[in-house]
């Protein structure tokens, strides 16, 4: 099997991630922050260590690390927890449905409005377009750091300067970038950063986080926190007030190990992904009948369209005939496909991780070449 759907979730995990997650299912199968016995305290200590690692890695403080079930919940919390009645938000065509659907719902429930920006010819969102879109009621800018469709990476440092200048909340969707790109929330003026642990940080599925910096987020989920249990009002303290319910300790322990793996090997990881993706893009561009979408080798993401064949059929043939796993369709990012006019047939996305090999990429290129020729030889 050749697995090339790592933008969805990394399939191969580092050994320490597996062992740490297993630890959470075996000798640490407890409810952290809910008990005063030794094992519960040990679990709470491990959770705090993970907060510290994320905070140090991304430029905030441990109490501002809010664990979630994934990037979708983190984005929902970030957007709904800061919503302003009749406010205005600036965002882009690159956004995932975890953003677009939330905005669409808030348009109905809170009468918000939003402006969707298109990129320049290089795929980059122009900061001047952001400034030109600011209205008197604009309070937030939402940017997908790295596109899950094209791998295009935005300059969030420059965008952060604009947001700070105009006193706007800056939310960055880091689902595809955290673990690959250097991010410092304080230095880049990022107020809210969402992560999906199971992608660039190689954790198990079901664990993500919202990181907060110099802004206020209100709870959108209510319930037990282990604190102020005598009150029926939801606490607003971070992180407990935003983390109602039992924590995913196996996921948090796996994430903790994934962060360590990335910190130890980040240059090696990024260099390998860059070389493999650059080679992939170069070779794909040589194949007749194939068009590529994505020219950022650092991201490990590139999508393709083959003439006269639907993307789902491409992925099916790759899977059934060549045992190569890719992702087809609209990738939960419909506006990008509207922009590229690929909504009808979608795109076949290829996404790499550190654990892919050059030999696998060569097999993929051969397979795509064969499919392109077979489907267009008439």
């Amino acid at each position: 099997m050749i697995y090339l759907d790592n933008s969805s979730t990394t399939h191969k995990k580092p050994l320490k991630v597996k062992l740490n997650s297993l630890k959470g299912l075996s000798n640490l199968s407890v409810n952290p922050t809910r008990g005063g016995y030794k094992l519960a305290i040990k679990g709470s200590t491990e959770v705090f260590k993970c907060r510290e690692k994320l905070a140090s890695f991304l430029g905030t403080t441990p109490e501002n690390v809010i664990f979630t079930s994934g990037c979708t919940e983190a984005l929902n919390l970030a957007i709904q927890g800061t919503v302003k009645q009749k406010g205005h938000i600036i965002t882009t065509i690159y956004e995932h449905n975890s953003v677009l659907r939330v905005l669409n719902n808030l348009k109905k429930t809170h009468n918000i409005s939003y402006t969707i920006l298109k990129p320049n010819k290089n795929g980059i969102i122009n900061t001047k377009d952001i400034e030109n879109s600011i209205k008197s009621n604009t309070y937030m800018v939402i940017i997908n750091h790295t596109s899950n469709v094209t791998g295009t990476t935005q300059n969030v440092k420059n965008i952060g300067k604009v947001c700070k200048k105009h006193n706007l909340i800056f939310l960055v969707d880091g689902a595809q970038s955290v673990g690959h790109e250097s991010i410092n929330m304080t230095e880049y003026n990022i107020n809210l950063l969402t992560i999906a642990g199971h992608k660039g940080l190689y954790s198990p599925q079901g664990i993500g986080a919202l990181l907060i910096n110099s802004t206020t987020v209100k709870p959108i989920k209510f319930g037990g926190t282990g604190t102020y249990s005598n009150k029926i009002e939801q606490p607003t303290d971070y992180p407990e007030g935003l983390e109602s319910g039992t924590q995913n300790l196996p996921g948090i322990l796996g994430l903790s190990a994934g962060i360590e793996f990335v910190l130890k090997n980040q240059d090696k990881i990024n260099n390998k992904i860059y070389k493999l993706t650059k080679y992939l893009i170069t070779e794909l561009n040589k194949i007749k009948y194939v068009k590529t979408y994505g020219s950022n080798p650092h991201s490990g993401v590139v999508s393709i369209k083959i003439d006269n064949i639907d993307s789902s059929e491409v992925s099916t043939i790759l899977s059934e005939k060549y045992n190569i796993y890719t992702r087809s369709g609209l990738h939960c990012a419909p506006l990008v496909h509207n922009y590229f006019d690929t909504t009808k047939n979608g795109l076949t996305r290829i996404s790499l991780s550190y654990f892919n090999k050059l030999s696998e990429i060569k097999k993929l290129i051969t397979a795509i070449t064969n499919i392109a020729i077979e489907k267009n030889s008439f």
Side-chain angles (χ1 to χ4, degrees):
M1 178 191 74
I2 299 175
Y3 185 87
L4 293 168
D5 190 22
N6 293 283
S7 284
S8 181
T9 188
T10 48
H11 175 69
K12 187 171 182 180
K13 310 293 184 183
L15 178 61
K16 185 67 180 297
V17 169
K18 297 177 184 178
L19 293 175
N20 253 31
S21 297
L22 184 60
K23 177 182 175 183
L25 288 169
S26 52
N27 59 335
L28 260 184
S29 186
V30 296
N31 198 335
T33 75
R34 299 298 198 275
Y37 48 89
K38 290 181 180 179
L39 210 56
I41 293 172
K42 187 176 180 181
S44 297
T45 300
E46 292 296 327
V47 170
F48 185 72
K49 285 180 180 178
C50 188
R51 291 192 208 277
E52 286 186 309
K53 291 174 187 175
L54 271 177
S56 175
F57 184 35
L58 297 168
T60 187
T61 55
E63 66 271 16
N64 285 337
V65 175
I66 314 300
F67 290 119
T68 64
S69 62
C71 206
T72 295
E73 184 183 350
L75 285 164
N76 270 263
L77 177 56
I79 300 169
Q80 295 189 68
T82 57
V83 65
K84 294 187 178 182
Q85 191 79 27
K86 297 183 180 180
H88 174 251
I89 293 173
I90 299 169
T91 189
T92 79
I93 65 160
Y94 288 113
E95 307 314 309
H96 192 273
N97 275 337
S98 299
V99 169
L100 298 176
R101 287 177 174 173
V102 181
L103 296 182
N104 182 61
N105 185 63
L106 291 179
K107 184 177 180 180
K108 300 173 185 176
T109 61
H110 286 73
N111 200 24
I112 72 157
S113 59
Y114 51 91
T115 298
I116 297 175
L117 300 180
K118 295 180 181 179
N120 62 22
K121 62 180 181 180
N122 297 317
I124 301 302
I125 300 298
N126 195 316
T127 53
K128 289 184 179 179
D129 290 339
I130 294 176
E131 291 199 277
N132 291 338
S133 300
I134 296 173
K135 303 178 181 180
S136 59
N137 60 336
T138 304
Y139 69 94
M140 176 179 273
V141 173
I142 304 174
I143 297 290
N144 187 326
H145 193 183
T146 296
S147 170
N148 69 318
V149 178
T150 66
T152 305
T153 298
Q154 303 301 324
N155 190 329
V156 293
K157 188 174 183 179
N158 285 350
I159 296 172
K161 291 177 182 177
V162 172
C163 292
K164 183 179 181 181
K165 176 183 174 183
H166 295 278
N167 196 30
L168 302 175
I169 299 171
F170 185 24
L171 166 57
V172 174
D173 177 355
Q176 301 295 335
S177 62
V178 173
H180 301 291
E181 298 290 330
S182 295
I183 303 172
N184 185 294
M185 294 181 69
T186 302
E187 182 183 345
Y188 292 3
N189 299 299
I190 297 172
N191 301 110
L192 300 164
L193 174 66
T194 63
I195 72 166
H198 62 109
K199 300 178 191 287
L201 295 177
Y202 297 91
S203 81
Q205 298 98 314
I207 186 67
L210 169 64
L211 279 67
I212 303 171
N213 178 47
S214 301
T215 196
T216 301
V217 179
K218 297 178 182 178
I220 63 169
K221 182 170 66 173
F222 301 84
T225 62
T227 58
Y228 306 107
S229 295
N230 60 318
K231 298 180 179 181
I232 61 171
E233 293 86 5
Q234 180 75 9
T236 56
D237 308 48
Y238 298 164
E240 293 86 0
L242 300 178
E243 287 184 349
S244 290
T246 301
Q247 291 174 320
N248 176 4
L249 188 53
I252 292 171
L253 291 175
L255 175 59
S256 189
I259 297 165
E260 287 182 8
F261 175 77
V262 170
L263 285 172
K264 184 179 179 181
N265 301 287
Q266 192 163 28
D267 287 342
K268 190 189 300 185
I269 292 169
N270 287 342
N271 287 339
K272 183 177 181 181
I273 289 176
Y274 174 82
K275 290 178 181 178
L276 289 179
T277 310
K278 186 176 182 180
Y279 174 80
L280 172 63
I281 293 171
T282 300
E283 295 303 311
L284 286 173
N285 285 333
K286 295 177 182 178
I287 304 174
K288 193 175 181 181
Y289 310 116
V290 173
K291 183 176 181 179
T292 59
Y293 297 79
S295 58
N296 176 17
H298 296 281
S299 68
V301 179
V302 58
S303 293
I304 64 168
K305 179 176 73 174
I306 300 178
D307 290 352
N308 299 309
I309 181 171
D310 190 271
S311 65
S312 61
E313 187 178 354
V314 175
S315 284
T316 298
I317 294 171
L318 286 172
S319 173
E320 294 183 355
K321 187 174 181 178
Y322 298 95
N323 207 24
I324 298 173
Y325 298 165
T326 58
R327 170 83 181 271
S328 64
L330 303 185
H331 314 97
C332 302
L335 300 187
V336 181
H337 288 275
N338 289 345
Y339 179 74
F340 287 121
D341 194 24
T342 55
T343 301
K344 182 180 179 180
N345 294 321
L347 295 174
T348 301
R349 185 184 68 193
I350 304 154
S351 51
L352 286 64
S353 90
Y354 173 69
F355 294 105
N356 286 120
K357 303 172 183 177
L358 178 59
S359 60
E360 295 177 329
I361 304 306
K362 288 182 177 180
K363 289 178 182 178
L364 170 72
I365 291 164
T366 298
I368 291 175
T369 301
N370 292 341
I371 294 170
I373 293 172
E374 288 170 6
K375 292 297 177 178
N376 288 277
S377 56
F378 50 83

